[in-house]
Amino acid sequence: MAKYKRILLKLSGESLMGSQQYGIDQQRLSDYAEEIADIVKGGTQVGIVIGGGNIFRGLSGAAKGFDRVKGDQMGMLATVINSLALNSALNNAGVKSKVLTAIRMEPIGEYYSKDKAVELLSKGEVVIISAGTSNPYFTTDTASALRGIEIEADVMLKGTRVDGIYSADPEKDPDATRFETISFDEIYAKGLKIMDLTATTLCKENDLPILVFNMDQKGNLKRVMKGESLGTIVHN
Ligand code: UDP
């Protein structure tokens, strides 16, 4: 039995770059697809929100003189590009998946609704929820908190390049230790930045635990489903 029945997996756009400077690394994409396929076959229902930072971020656009709202819209479109790529890779890995979009753009993807997402998840299909929250000034971390709450996921899995949340930067401080669990209140009190505050607070207020773990280590997603203690769980 998998530890979680239904999860919301957040993947960053940046991690899709793999070793590249920009865009999508095909190898990284198919590695992710295989890891996800593995846990779907093990019976876990998987909703996914993927970022767009490998293509465009509204804030960096604004720094270059773009209008912030237009820059954010470009960022949201970038998440759709990544979602389509993952959709295709998942289908190649033998798993049915569908892209839903928070902004209407059929036939690229069906317009998102909770009911549609839950219906697909219940059939064992992976649902990739793209275009963020559809609003500027938000992040895909906030979108994934929101969608995780909406689809009633047991946990939000935040896939990162690090092994979890540390007491200090492990690359700078040899005494830094990893928290196995930490409360939302401690996150605020210690000023730890795992996500933006909007996303963190949405999870706290709606009691959605977050597991921060290293998604780039092969097999980790499956280990999480087996209940192995890795990463850091943030809880109320
Ligand atoms: N974005 C937005 N509203 C949302 C989600 C995302 O405007 O609800 C835009 C924002 O410009 C952001 C970009 O989409 O910079 C890409 O998302 P994010 O930076 O969260 O991607 P990640 O860092 O996970 O790759």
Side-chain angles (χ1 to χ4, degrees):
M1 264 300 273
K3 177 160 183 188
Y4 302 111
K5 188 167 186 302
R6 180 178 293 166
I7 62 165
L8 190 294
L9 175 65
K10 161 74 205 304
L11 298 173
S12 82
E14 219 165 275
S15 63
L16 274 195
M17 290 194 294
S19 50
Q20 300 177 179
Q21 295 298 309
Y22 179 83
I24 300 170
D25 178 68
Q26 208 52 39
Q27 186 60 48
R28 175 57 56 80
L29 191 65
S30 57
D31 286 350
Y32 278 179
E34 269 167 35
E35 301 248 338
I36 295 162
D38 211 14
I39 64 163
V40 172
K41 286 170 191 160
T44 301
Q45 297 181 5
V46 183
I48 300 176
V49 167
I50 187 158
N54 55 323
I55 301 173
F56 199 85
R57 277 207 178 93
L59 261 182
S60 33
K64 289 181 193 143
F66 279 91
D67 173 74
R68 171 72 192 266
V69 173
K70 297 218 184 308
D72 280 341
Q73 288 169 337
M74 291 164 76
M76 286 187 273
L77 291 176
T79 72
V80 180
I81 294 175
N82 286 335
S83 297
L84 292 172
L86 186 62
N87 175 225
S88 165
L90 281 168
N91 293 347
N92 287 342
V95 167
K96 273 195 155 185
S97 69
K98 199 157 272 171
V99 175
L100 302 181
T101 63
I103 300 167
R104 266 195 192 284
M105 54 177 96
E106 292 97 347
I108 286 176
E110 239 175 278
Y111 190 43
Y112 168 81
S113 74
K114 171 193 172 164
D115 288 349
K116 183 84 221 167
V118 169
E119 183 192 320
L120 292 165
L121 288 168
S122 306
K123 285 196 284 186
E125 287 195 38
V126 174
V127 181
I128 309 169
I129 309 171
S130 67
T133 62
S134 84
N135 296 297
Y137 297 97
F138 287 95
T139 62
T140 50
D141 280 343
T142 300
S144 85
L146 174 65
R147 301 314 179 196
I149 294 159
E150 283 190 86
I151 66 168
E152 295 168 52
D154 301 318
V155 68
M156 168 173 157
L157 297 188
K158 184 170 159 63
T160 66
R161 287 178 297 191
V162 290
D163 290 331
I165 303 173
Y166 283 79
S167 55
D169 184 345
E171 282 168 10
K172 291 181 191 147
D173 184 347
D175 295 328
T177 50
R178 173 174 66 88
F179 295 103
E180 269 188 41
T181 64
I182 190 167
S183 71
F184 285 105
D185 288 339
E186 281 175 278
I187 293 277
Y188 296 130
K190 295 182 197 294
L192 297 170
K193 288 210 170 60
I194 48 154
M195 306 194 294
D196 56 278
L197 285 173
T198 313
T200 309
T201 303
L202 206 50
C203 290
K204 176 180 163 53
E205 288 182 339
N206 294 281
D207 214 10
L208 177 66
I210 308 162
L211 173 63
V212 181
F213 75 109
N214 188 338
M215 179 70 196
D216 294 349
Q217 182 121 25
K218 271 195 183 171
N220 265 0
L221 196 53
K222 196 169 184 182
R223 283 185 203 109
V224 168
M225 290 310 144
K226 281 189 187 155
E228 284 181 33
S229 162
L230 55 93
T232 302
I233 293 189
V234 190
H235 57 86
N236 262 322

